[in-house]
Amino acid sequence: MTNRSTFHDTADAPGARQAAQSRAVADVNAALHDGVDRDGVLRLVARGVRQVLGASACTVMTLEPNETLLVRAADGRVRPDLPGSHVPVDDTPEGEVVRSQAPAMSADGQDPRWRGTSLSGPGLGSVLLVPVPGYDRPGGVIEVADAEGRHFGTDDARTVGLFAAQVGMAVEHDRAGADLELLAAVLGQPDTEPLPRTLEALTTGVLAGTAALACAIYLLDDNLSLRRVAGDGPRELIEAGMTGSGPNVAHAAIASRAPIVHQHVLPGDLPGSGRRSSRWPEESGRTASLVCVPLMSRSVVLGVLCCHCPPGRYPSKLELAYLSVVAGKAAMAVDSSHLVASAQEKAAQEERQRLARELHDSVSQALYGIALGARTARESLGEAPEERVDQPLGYVLALAEAGLADMRALIFELRPQALAEEGLVAALHKQLAAFRARHGVDTHAELGPEPAGAFKVKQALYRTAQEALQNTAKHAQARRIVVRLETSPTALALEIADDGDGFDPSASFPGHLGLRSMRERITEVGGVLDLASAPGEGTQIRARVPTGLWP
């Protein structure tokens, strides 16, 4: 109380107040220089402001990622539970000061508009609110109250502004440290978890590290549509912003290969929820921001990260940088998963080839030797061997030949020679060359380089081409056949077209069994087979399958 009365007594002595102000500002500067933690600096500010102004109470509030003000420090006549409490920014004097970044004063603390302030209470005479500046977003608010009828003026606001600048420095330093910790956590997170868990953890981290209300990751499917694979927060918020009244924002970000911030009006009834938003009912009709950042790895777009910011708040530069880092981490995880799957498929293919070689060199040769020995023994017995000898030899010979046939089929299943050794493109070229030589049909191939893909996928396409060529030779009377292979990062498409007789696909036709076999083979690897034909117009078969390397 001594200090308080002294300042009131010297209210008309500018020199005394200026000296006190200089000492308090110097104390805070020293604390900042010495590396005192943020809350320690803010407590010094609260005490210094109250003493310099001779006020009853002072609070220092910082603007948090969830867009509320958190009381970090308080000094003077305040409620014990005030530090650590949250003050909303909607429809409150503090919120108006945050948005306008201009001081506000009330001569009557009992004014209904000011009863919600953090220092409101019986006997409150006047309140002064001063904004705390920030780099990309406001830092917070300093609130001062006096209970003895004194009216704050512009000089008081200017004095508190000096402390507000120091608070802004402490807040920005703390925010920068938190941003660096978040970036370090994202960049240093090992990819030891399965891909879905990694992506879920990244979206959860976005909500923890930014003011976002919702976040989701979408990957491009083989048909270039977006498939949601991870997310946190209300799904309808993102989807309402993505599809809005204009073009799909996520597809626009993918097409531009750059982040896009799309602002839109948040509806009262959110799509998919059938009701007004229960968490932010007061926000409907306000402008919200949707951030879409493409996921890119090795110059290939794999998908997009979408993040929905609170209504009335544009993402800061630091938040955009953070989202770009998260998107990069997600792209690395997806691409790594692809590379691991490709390596596993290659290892499996090499193992199949090894088994095929061993079966050919050991079991097949043994069966061949048994069959040859039985046949030689049977022939050496003459034209009329005894029945008791001939029947067992015949039985052994039949078993050996059946086993040898089964072994050859198994070896081909494990490793169609051209496909396993040279790849799909080379195998198709050899198949077309054999077809051309055998049937005298002109063939044309547009296959390109060898694509990336799982062996079982390539095998399904190879067998489909084989079946289609056989059907053409049997039924089409074609003069020319064209085979095309199209590739994308996530899918392979094989097209076989001829200029033959064609047929009605819905009618009964001997080739339908082969068509059913092709369709089943493509379906087994997650693909789709389409057929177009009409009498006299030739036939076109198109099989589209995922590469089998992506999640």
Side-chain angles (χ1 to χ4, degrees), residues 173-189 209 322:
H173 183 273
D174 188 70
R175 286 176 178 174
D179 290 334
L180 288 174
E181 289 178 1
L182 285 170
L183 291 176
V186 172
L187 292 173
Q189 181 179 352
Y322 175 67

Side-chain angles (χ1 to χ4, degrees), residues 62-209:
T62 58
L63 185 64
E64 300 300 299
N66 63 359
E67 297 301 304
T68 63
L69 290 166
L70 175 62
V71 179
R72 294 277 184 181
D75 192 76
R77 294 167 53 184
V78 298
R79 304 190 313 271
D81 63 340
L82 187 57
S85 62
H86 287 266
V87 177
V89 298
D90 294 312
D91 301 323
T92 62
E94 291 93 340
E96 284 299 319
V97 169
V98 168
R99 285 185 286 273
S100 67
Q101 285 295 285
M105 291 168 273
S106 171
D108 183 6
Q110 301 307 310
D111 187 323
R113 294 173 300 173
W114 286 72
R115 286 180 182 173
T117 58
S118 63
L119 295 178
S120 60
L124 179 64
S126 59
V127 176
L128 169 63
L129 299 173
V130 176
V132 172
Y135 175 62
D136 272 327
R137 53 193 296 257
V141 174
I142 295 178
E143 182 170 348
V144 191
D146 193 71
E148 295 189 357
R150 175 185 168 194
H151 295 173
F152 293 110
T154 55
D155 287 343
D156 297 315
R158 192 176 298 112
T159 297
V160 177
L162 295 174
F163 291 93
Q166 295 175 313
V167 173
M169 292 174 59
V171 169
E172 284 302 324
H173 183 273
D174 188 70
R175 286 176 178 174
D179 290 334
L180 288 174
E181 289 178 1
L182 285 170
L183 291 176
V186 172
L187 292 173
Q189 181 179 352
D191 294 328
T192 55
E193 293 289 339
L195 181 63
R197 290 186 185 178
T198 298
L199 299 183
E200 287 287 351
L202 288 174
T203 58
T204 301
V206 168
L207 296 196

Side-chain angles (χ1 to χ4, degrees), residues 82-394:
L82 187 57
S85 62
H86 287 266
V87 177
V89 298
D90 294 312
D91 301 323
T92 62
E94 291 93 340
E96 284 299 319
V97 169
V98 168
R99 285 185 286 273
S100 67
Q101 285 295 285
M105 291 168 273
S106 171
D108 183 6
Q110 301 307 310
D111 187 323
R113 294 173 300 173
W114 286 72
R115 286 180 182 173
T117 58
S118 63
L119 295 178
S120 60
L124 179 64
S126 59
V127 176
L128 169 63
L129 299 173
V130 176
V132 172
Y135 175 62
D136 272 327
R137 53 193 296 257
V141 174
I142 295 178
E143 182 170 348
V144 191
D146 193 71
E148 295 189 357
R150 175 185 168 194
H151 295 173
F152 293 110
T154 55
D155 287 343
D156 297 315
R158 192 176 298 112
T159 297
V160 177
L162 295 174
F163 291 93
Q166 295 175 313
V167 173
M169 292 174 59
V171 169
E172 284 302 324
H173 183 273
D174 188 70
R175 286 176 178 174
D179 290 334
L180 288 174
E181 289 178 1
L182 285 170
L183 291 176
V186 172
L187 292 173
Q189 181 179 352
D191 294 328
T192 55
E193 293 289 339
L195 181 63
R197 290 186 185 178
T198 298
L199 299 183
E200 287 287 351
L202 288 174
T203 58
T204 301
V206 168
L207 296 196
T210 69
L213 305 180
C215 179
I217 293 175
Y218 298 82
L219 295 182
L220 283 170
D221 271 338
D222 57 344
N223 60 357
L224 302 183
S225 63
L226 289 172
R227 172 171 56 94
R228 180 183 169 113
V229 294
D232 197 0
R235 182 170 185 161
E236 61 270 17
L237 283 178
I238 290 179
E239 295 182 353
M242 283 173 61
T243 56
S245 59
N248 187 288
V249 185
H251 280 295
I254 290 172
S256 66
R257 303 167 74 90
I260 289 180
V261 181
H262 171 68
Q263 293 187 298
H264 64 284
V265 176
L266 188 67
D269 294 319
L270 295 176
S273 65
R275 57 180 174 80
R276 189 180 174 96
S277 173
S278 59
R279 187 173 174 186
W280 305 280
E282 72 282 0
E283 303 291 9
S284 63
R286 293 184 60 185
T287 300
S289 297
L290 178 70
V291 183
C292 292
V293 184
L295 274 57
M296 295 185 60
S297 180
R298 296 183 291 169
S299 300
V300 176
V301 180
L302 308 176
V304 64
L305 179 142
C306 296
C307 181
H308 192 282
C309 299
R313 187 178 183 284
Y314 196 85
S316 69
K317 292 179 181 178
L318 287 173
E319 286 176 327
L320 291 175
Y322 175 67
L323 292 177
S324 295
V325 171
V326 173
K329 181 69 174 180
M332 289 172 56
V334 173
D335 196 22
S336 296
S337 176
H338 163 228
L339 293 174
V340 169
S342 180
Q344 290 174 341
E345 179 59 32
K346 183 178 180 181
Q349 181 177 340
E350 291 175 351
E351 180 64 14
R352 283 193 293 267
Q353 292 176 358
R354 185 189 65 80
L355 289 173
R357 284 194 302 270
E358 291 186 359
L359 288 172
H360 177 270
D361 295 341
S362 58
V363 181
S364 292
Q365 294 299 327
L367 288 172
Y368 179 75
I370 293 172
L372 181 61
R375 189 179 295 109
T376 302
R378 194 176 190 184
E379 291 174 355
S380 67
L381 289 174
E383 296 182 359
E386 294 184 14
E387 183 177 352
R388 61 191 180 91
V389 176
D390 183 62
Q391 285 184 350
L393 285 175

